[in-house]
């Protein structure tokens, strides 16, 4: 039985290929109608206690969504002039995204240090173009030792950096989708 089916498929391979290609094309033509809606209002009824709690929290604290952008520095060390330049560009462009209300990365991470009796708080990589290779290496060690940075804003191997964008999206679905797509 299996041998005869195999022989049939081998003899009719061109026909099988044509039918498979046709099925794939038909399936792909319907992909434009596929969408995903993450709005919990679509999945739960108004009587759901978890949905009611979510509505309560959104009314009290506001509704926001988070977008995570990851930069892979590739062969360029992240804590170098070129690597930080890439990250700075990503950070600045992320702030220009529609509805972006906050952008977090190494460029606005507050680093604090003490100088005698003075507490100095500054961004971790501020004015990186003026920093020497030794100063950049020192900043990399600081980033690796900070629990809020290591494994979060920068990967533990120092090759990936993350930019976290908080967006305040409008409630109107039509406005939201048209503004985000264009």
């Amino acid at each position: 039985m299996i041998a005869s089916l195999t022989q049939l498929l081998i003899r009719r391979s061109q026909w099988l290929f044509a039918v498979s290609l046709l099925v794939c094309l038909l399936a792909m033509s319907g992909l434009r109608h596929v969408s995903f809606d993450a709005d919990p209002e679509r999945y739960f009824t108004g009587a759901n206690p978890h949905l009611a709690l979510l509505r309560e929290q959104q009314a009290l604290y506001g509704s926001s969504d988070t977008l995570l952008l990851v930069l892979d520095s590739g062969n360029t060390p992240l804590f170098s002039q070129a690597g930080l330049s890439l990250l700075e560009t990503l950070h600045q462009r992320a702030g220009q995204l529609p509805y972006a209300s906050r952008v977090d990365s190494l460029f606005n991470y507050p680093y604090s240090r003490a100088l005698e009796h003075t507490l100095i708080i500054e961004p971790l990589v501020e004015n990186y173009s003026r920093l020497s290779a030794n100063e950049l290496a020192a900043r990399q060690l600081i980033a690796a030792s900070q629990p809020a940075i290591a494994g979060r804003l920068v990967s533990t191997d120092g090759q990936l950096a993350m930019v976290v964008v908080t967006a305040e999206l409008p409630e109107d679905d039509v406005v939201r989708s048209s503004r985000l797509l264009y």
Side-chain angles (χ1 to χ4, degrees):
M1 172 72 177
I2 293 177
S4 62
L5 181 61
T6 306
Q7 289 299 322
L8 177 68
L9 291 176
I10 291 172
R11 277 187 277 134
R12 306 279 187 193
S13 62
Q14 291 177 347
W15 180 83
L16 180 63
F17 174 75
V19 169
S20 299
L21 185 62
L22 182 64
V23 169
C24 287
L25 290 174
L26 285 173
M28 287 180 5
S29 70
L31 282 179
R32 61 189 167 101
H33 300 292
V34 174
S35 66
F36 176 73
D37 187 359
D39 186 6
E41 302 278 340
R42 305 251 190 239
Y43 298 103
F44 300 102
T45 64
N48 186 299
H50 299 291
L51 183 60
L53 181 61
L54 176 66
R55 286 180 186 156
E56 226 177 272
Q57 289 178 342
Q58 286 178 340
L60 185 60
Y61 299 109
S63 175
S64 67
D65 289 307
T66 303
L67 175 67
L68 305 175
L69 305 172
V70 178
L71 173 70
D72 183 353
S73 61
N75 295 332
T76 305
L78 183 61
F79 281 88
S80 67
Q81 302 294 336
L84 290 174
S85 175
L86 289 171
L87 183 59
E88 181 180 39
T89 301
L90 183 61
H91 179 96
Q92 289 173 346
R93 289 191 179 173
Q96 297 170 357
L97 289 172
Y99 307 111
S101 62
R102 179 182 171 94
V103 178
D104 293 314
S105 74
L106 289 177
F107 279 92
N108 60 350
Y109 180 79
Y111 166 62
S112 58
R113 59 188 171 94
L115 184 63
E116 295 182 9
H117 296 292
T118 306
L119 180 63
I120 299 170
I121 301 173
E122 60 189 5
L124 183 63
V125 290
E126 185 177 47
N127 299 322
Y128 67 91
S129 59
R130 297 182 193 161
L131 297 176
S132 68
N134 288 340
E135 290 171 316
L136 288 173
R139 298 295 167 109
Q140 184 174 8
L141 288 174
I142 292 167
S145 68
Q146 297 290 319
I149 298 177
R152 294 186 178 154
L153 291 178
V154 177
S155 64
T156 54
D157 65 358
Q159 290 299 305
L160 302 174
M162 186 162 49
V163 176
V164 181
V165 182
T166 304
E168 299 292 333
L169 298 176
E171 294 298 321
D172 185 7
D173 288 339
V174 174
V175 173
R176 179 188 312 180
S177 54
S178 67
R179 181 73 171 125
L180 291 176
L181 292 176
Y182 300 107

